[in-house]
Amino acid sequence: MTPLRAKYIRDLVIRGRSKHTQEAYIRNVRDLARYYRRSPELISYEEVTGWLYHLIKERQLSASSVNIAVSAVRFLYAVTLGRDTLDLMASVPHMKRATRRAEVYARSEVEAILTAPLQPRDRVLLMTVYGCGLRISEATQLKTSDIDRARMQLRVRDGKGAKGRVLPLSERLLKELGNYWRAQRQGKTGHDSPWLFLGKTVGQPMSTYAGQNIYYSALKKSGVRYKGGIHTLRHYPGFRTIASKPPVAAPNPLLTRLGAASIGKLTRHSPVSD
């Protein structure tokens, strides 16, 4: 690892950038260096502009991807290299992103998608994403201790922007979590792992890639027309972030049916303080 890269990573960590952001920034700066076959220290702002033009016109990256590249180089020159970046800021602005109204599934379509998987783990993963309005990256990082049955709450520790939040849990989702625990976790290999949804590697959580594949497989099996990725399941009203107060809104209507059920070993924790 070069001294510049080490310093860049250190600066990202010190300023609280998430692991995902660190990886994206490092990847873009590495791409810039490879494009010109020189260290970024020797690359001019005009050349940076040329590289971004290459990303837009030749590689045809989305506005979101280009904006990440812009942020990565701005951070590099302003923070790590400590340079005056007024000219850079003027020559490499963030791109405007086209805004589109999200297409959502009908209630019957959501029900078909949620119940399509045969494996309890896969089914309850999708229900958790939908019922609590989670990003797939948040769902795959859940731990068993994040579930508080007594308060009917789910804690998200590291959401977008490294922000945590607490969300209401429905009775049906608790029941499904209990079914999953008894069918695939209780007394089986990995039952003592802290992660709620286990991945292929022993002791590791499910990857976001695996979670997305579960969604696409369920969508195909359900016969529902594709309207977007798993993130589409979050595009429903009723999601509310709560702090120390009781929930002010009920979870999604599809997940409020059925009676309360004991989730046993999975929910003996009460991580949320009064």
Side-chain angles (χ1 to χ4, degrees), residues 103-117 126-127 130 172 215 218-228 232-233 235-236 254 257:
E103 198 175 3
V104 298
Y105 294 109
R107 181 176 297 188
S108 59
E109 293 175 325
V110 173
E111 185 75 56
I113 294 170
L114 298 184
T115 56
L126 297 181
M127 287 185 171
Y130 170 76
R172 180 180 178 185
Y215 164 76
L219 184 65
K220 183 177 180 180
K221 184 178 178 181
S222 70
V224 174
R225 179 176 67 85
Y226 173 81
K227 296 182 180 180
T232 310
L233 294 180
H235 294 162
Y236 290 84
L254 287 182
R257 298 196 288 268

Side-chain angles (χ1 to χ4, degrees), residues 24 34 70 81 110 117 124 184-185 210 241 262:
R34 287 177 176 174
V70 169
L81 294 177
V110 173
V124 80
Q184 295 184 300
R185 291 290 299 274
T241 299
S262 171

Side-chain angles (χ1 to χ4, degrees), residues 87-106:
D87 291 340
L88 178 66
M89 302 281 273
S91 60
V92 291
H94 284 99
M95 292 182 65
K96 290 184 178 180
R97 295 184 295 176
T99 55
R100 295 181 301 173
R101 183 175 295 276
E103 198 175 3
V104 298
Y105 294 109

